[in-house]
């Protein structure tokens, strides 16, 4: 007889966990200034507890000029007054722990704000002791400093600018892979690493249970820094060869592990955010024997609707590409390593509008279907605020509605390059990071109950139909479907550990797979389309038990599946 409560005592807690991501400025505003805050998050912890998540990851709330909503940090060991105080943070951690939940801190170690005291010193003179804490380079030989083309390399930043900004005071350029307000730290310098590690240890002492490490695969640069291959029609080059998974990356990460994680007596969760990481590298980063990270955020499945021009070069999604990608990651990290699982975060458009359907006829079913196929995979699932309500993209109508530096800078560059405004706005509307940054929809009152003031970014006008208050009261809601998915992970070892086998890889409507392990086997089937779908599934007569479905009368293998129908079947195997 299988026991659903069996579990391996050596299993680290994060292998059983579901993480919930909070973007505090858009979560809940407790003081009416239009910006969410830590006090607001504390008020909503019972809601998260009811959902059943184990961990809360909070994106940066440190003092910051907010050019990139807090990913430009000017003090690593404090709280921005706009979000609260360190005492609020201590209270947040205590309140989480009191509910048996954990707290994951978002740390940005690749760059700081240009207003960070380290950078102010570094730029103050060429012989300042902190000069070498950042990347300074002279203008390109034979050019006029400060003009286009004089940058030390031709790289285009993630935010559609050159990656170099000229400092007239000292006559050199500094490097920034993101905005000019986010200079990159020089990890070659051991003093930089030493100070960053001591910051992390300081936070562990304060009670944090883990770290999400921002763009951590970019900290090691390939030297000498040099031009990358030209990017079509832009006048810039692609520098990624010089900074994605650079030559010292594993050495740095292992050192961080030794100096910070091993130095603590607690079991912590570490997840490294790694745009551009390959399955091969991810297996190295997450191999427990190597003492690096527990898991990484990879982006391959987030690029299935991107053309060669990147996220604003929008293409139709083919379900087969999405499945092939996710399936490959499942298989590549099966023997060693561990996957993170996510559809959404603060940098991605809403998944219902992207891979589901925001047509009111299908929105609820498609949100549940997407949740089902993700949460039944092997790995640690992450839920981004509002995903558990099936929140949708925002109906942006003009460029004035956007707040995000990535979207606004892209708009400026694309306009300069002569891209027509119609298609440009359509792409931004579909893909902008602002889609998931609109406020959490708590109830049907003004501004979705997010604030009594004027929200920093507009609330999606669909809040009267999509909000937490209604869904918590409705057992058939997306919220309760997510709650049950989380319960299934806690309850069934096969969900956590079972082997994964993709079925029907070429089918353009059905996402189906098996999870095999011990005496329990699962068949997960979802029709991810708005039309009926049929597909041949293994041993159709044997899947007698339904663990969860988004239909009251789930169709069985062998029958046609209705639009967005998703079911988790179980069977017991003997012997
Ligand atoms: O979506 C992306 C890749 O498909 C990018 O937005 C990528 O996630 C991002 O460039 C890296 O993200 C992180 O670092 C940035 C910050 O703006 C993001 O919010 C953060 O998640 C710089 O700190």
């Amino acid at each position: 007889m299988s026991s659903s409560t069996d579990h391996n005592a050596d299993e680290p807690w994060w292998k059983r966990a579901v993480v919930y991501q909070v973007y505090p400025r858009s979560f809940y505003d407790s003081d009416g200034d239009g910006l969410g805050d830590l006090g607001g998050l504390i008020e909503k912890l019972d809601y998260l507890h009811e959902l059943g998540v184990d961990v809360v990851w909070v994106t940066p709330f440190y003092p910051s000029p907010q050019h990139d909503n807090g990913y430009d940090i000017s003090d690593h060991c404090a709280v921005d007054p706009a979000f609260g105080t360190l005492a609020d943070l201590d209270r947040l951690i205590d309140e989480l722990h009191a509910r048996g939940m954990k707290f994951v801190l978002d740390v940005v170690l690749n760059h700081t704000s240009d207003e960070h005291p380290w950078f102010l010193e570094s730029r103050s003179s060429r012989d300042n002791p902190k000069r070498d804490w950042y990347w300074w380079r002279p203008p390109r030989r034979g050019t006029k400093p400060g003009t286009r083309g004089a940058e030390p390399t031709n790289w285009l930043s993630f935010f559609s600018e050159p990656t170099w900004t000229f400092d007239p005071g000292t006559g050199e350029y500094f490097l920034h892979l993101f905005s000019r307000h986010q200079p990159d730290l020089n990890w070659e310098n051991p003093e930089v690493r030493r100070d960053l590690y001591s910051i992390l240890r300081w936070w562990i002492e304060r009670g944090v249970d883990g770290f999400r490490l921002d763009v951590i695969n970019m900290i090691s640069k390939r030297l000498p820094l040099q031009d990358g291959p030209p990017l079509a029609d832009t006048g810039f080059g692609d520098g990624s060869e010089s900074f994605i998974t650079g030559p010292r990356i594993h050495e740095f990460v292992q050192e961080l592990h030794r100096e910070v994680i091993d130095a603590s007596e607690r079991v912590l969760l570490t997840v490294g955010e790694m745009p551009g990481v390959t399955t091969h590298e991810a297996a190295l980063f997450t191999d427990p024997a190597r003492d690096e990270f527990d898991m990484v955020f990879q982006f391959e499945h987030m690029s299935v609707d991107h053309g060669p021009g990147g996220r604003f070069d929008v293409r139709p999604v083919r379900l087969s590409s999405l499945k092939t990608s996710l399936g490959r990651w499942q298989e590549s990290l099966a023997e060693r390593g561990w996957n993170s699982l996510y559809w959404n975060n603060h940098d991605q458009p809403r998944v219902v509008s992207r891979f589901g359907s925001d047509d009111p006829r299908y929105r609820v079913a498609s949100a549940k279907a997407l949740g089902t196929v993700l949460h039944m995979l092997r790995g640690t699932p992450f839920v981004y605020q509002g995903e558990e309500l099936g929140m949708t993209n925002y109906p942006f109508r003009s460029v004035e509605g956007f707040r995000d530096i990535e979207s606004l800078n892209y708009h400026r560059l694309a306009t300069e390059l002569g891209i027509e405004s119609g298609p440009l706005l359509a792409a931004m509307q579909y893909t902008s990071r602002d889609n998931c940054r609109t406020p959490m929809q708590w109830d049907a009152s003004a501004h979705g109950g997010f604030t009594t003031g004027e929200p920093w970014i507009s609330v999606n006008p669909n809040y009267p139909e999509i909000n937490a208050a209604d869904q918590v009261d409705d057992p058939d809601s997306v919220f309760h479907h997510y709650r049950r998915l989380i319960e299934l992970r806690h309850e069934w070892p096969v969900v956590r550990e079972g082997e994964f086998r993709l079925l029907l890889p070429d089918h353009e409507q059905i996402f189906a797979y098996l999870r095999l392990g011990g005496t329990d086997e699962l068949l997960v089937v979802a029709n991810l389309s708005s039309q009926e779908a049929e597909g041949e599934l293994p041993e159709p007569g044997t899947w007698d038990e339904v663990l969860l479905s988004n239909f009251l009368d789930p169709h069985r293998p062998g029958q046609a599946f209705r639009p967005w129908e998703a079911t988790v079947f179980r069977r017991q195997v003997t012997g």
Side-chain angles (χ1 to χ4, degrees), residues 449-507:
F450 162 68
T451 180
T452 53
E454 200 45 47
W456 71 275
I457 187 171
S458 299
V459 180
N460 195 309
N462 60 20
Y463 70 83
E465 294 83 53
I466 306 177
N467 64 66
D470 282 356
Q471 296 201 24
V472 168
D473 285 345
D474 172 6
D476 212 21
S477 60
V478 181
F479 175 88
H480 284 287
H481 191 85
Y482 267 75
R483 189 179 56 68
R484 286 185 209 113
L485 287 169
I486 296 165
E487 270 172 14
L488 288 183
R489 173 162 302 267
H490 291 153
E491 199 176 336
W492 293 94
V494 66
V495 173
R496 303 193 295 276
E497 290 292 349
E499 184 192 326
F500 165 91
R501 223 173 274 168
L502 184 64
L503 303 169
L504 307 175
D506 303 322
H507 205 294

